[in-house]
Amino acid sequence: MASRGRTRATVLLEDGVRYEGHLRDGEKAGRGTLYFPEGSSLTGVFRDGALNGFGWYTAEDGDRLQGRWTDGELNGKGEELSADGELLFRGEYCGGVKHGRGTLYMRDGGVIVGNWDQGELSGDCGYFFRGGENRLCRFGGAFVGQWKDGDMLRAYYVEAHPEGVGKTGAHLSQAELLFATELPRRDPRASSFRYDPSTSEVISSAPLLRDPYET
């Protein structure tokens, strides 16, 4: 059906990609969906042949990435959702990758709040534990410090108790830790940790360094 020079059609593109939606003068223009051979899809409003405005990418497993797109790339605020609608990430994107402030919701109940640089955690970040049977994180708590290229360089442990009094770190309840707009400051009594990567010459440059992942 034609409307002001715009038609709706199905077009087969290169590499098995299929477009279903509106066209104007042979170009994608208006609402439409790109279907990719592996089962993923990209839906939204197209302008000048590319997605511009609000849209969403649906992976083959049903997970979804949504937000505002510019010239076919996600830029600005976006969200990642699981196939059943669970929020996995909310934050800033640039060029289609995480870049800027964001919050990552782990499937085990943990939460990472911090900064991303071209898809990698970098700068001031905090990993907030769900809590559970682990002795160190029995009541829930967090490692707060500096990350680079996805690795924790150095951090300190902040503990949260049900009554809201941290005995080894900041005096914050677990809810306050999870929803704080700023990362808690270090208590001088808090335990400190440092990333100690192996190299081609040594397994550990500081073998006596406390390992936060051991109980």
Side-chain angles (χ1 to χ4, degrees):
M1 182 176 70
S3 176
R4 296 183 180 180
R6 195 169 61 181
T7 60
R8 183 171 179 83
T10 297
V11 180
L12 296 179
L13 305 174
E14 295 181 352
D15 301 321
V17 178
R18 183 177 85 255
Y19 173 76
E20 294 183 5
H22 290 98
L23 299 171
R24 179 180 285 122
D25 299 328
E27 270 199 346
K28 296 184 289 293
R31 189 170 181 81
T33 301
L34 284 169
Y35 295 94
F36 302 96
E38 73 276 9
S40 62
S41 63
L42 182 62
T43 301
V45 177
F46 290 80
R47 187 175 69 247
D48 298 327
L51 190 62
N52 282 278
F54 182 79
W56 59 91
Y57 171 82
T58 305
E60 53 269 30
D61 62 1
D63 285 0
R64 176 165 157 164
L65 174 61
Q66 63 185 29
R68 186 158 296 277
W69 301 69
T70 306
D71 296 330
E73 293 185 331
L74 183 59
N75 287 287
K77 293 183 179 180
E79 292 182 339
E80 294 181 20
L81 304 169
S82 68
D84 56 6
E86 180 183 1
L87 181 63
L88 303 177
F89 178 82
R90 175 181 288 150
E92 299 287 332
Y93 288 80
C94 182
V97 299
K98 298 180 183 72
H99 189 78
R101 191 76 172 171
T103 302
L104 180 67
Y105 301 88
M106 312 295 286
R107 293 186 185 271
D108 65 359
V111 177
I112 296 177
V113 179
N115 297 286
W116 273 258
D117 184 4
Q118 296 299 317
E120 298 284 358
L121 272 172
S122 292
D124 294 333
C125 303
Y127 180 91
F128 298 89
F129 298 95
R130 176 193 61 185
E133 298 303 320
N134 184 297
R135 178 176 57 82
L136 180 64
C137 312
R138 191 156 42 107
F139 301 109
F143 281 121
V144 179
Q146 287 76 48
W147 267 249
K148 183 178 181 181
D149 298 331
D151 292 321
M152 183 186 77
L153 295 181
R154 62 188 63 84
Y156 56 93
Y157 179 66
V158 177
E159 185 173 315
H161 286 253
E163 66 271 21
V165 179
K167 295 183 179 178
T168 63
H171 290 208
L172 295 172
S173 68
Q174 187 171 2
E176 287 172 324
L177 281 174
L178 289 174
F179 298 103
T181 55
E182 296 182 1
L183 295 174
R185 294 182 180 180
R186 178 183 179 182
D187 187 302
R189 300 166 294 173
S191 300
S192 295
F193 301 91
R194 178 169 60 86
Y195 177 56
D196 186 34
S198 300
T199 69
S200 59
E201 298 178 349
V202 297
I203 296 177
S204 174
S205 61
L208 298 181
L209 185 69
R210 186 180 179 190
D211 185 350
Y213 304 106
E214 293 180 357
T215 57

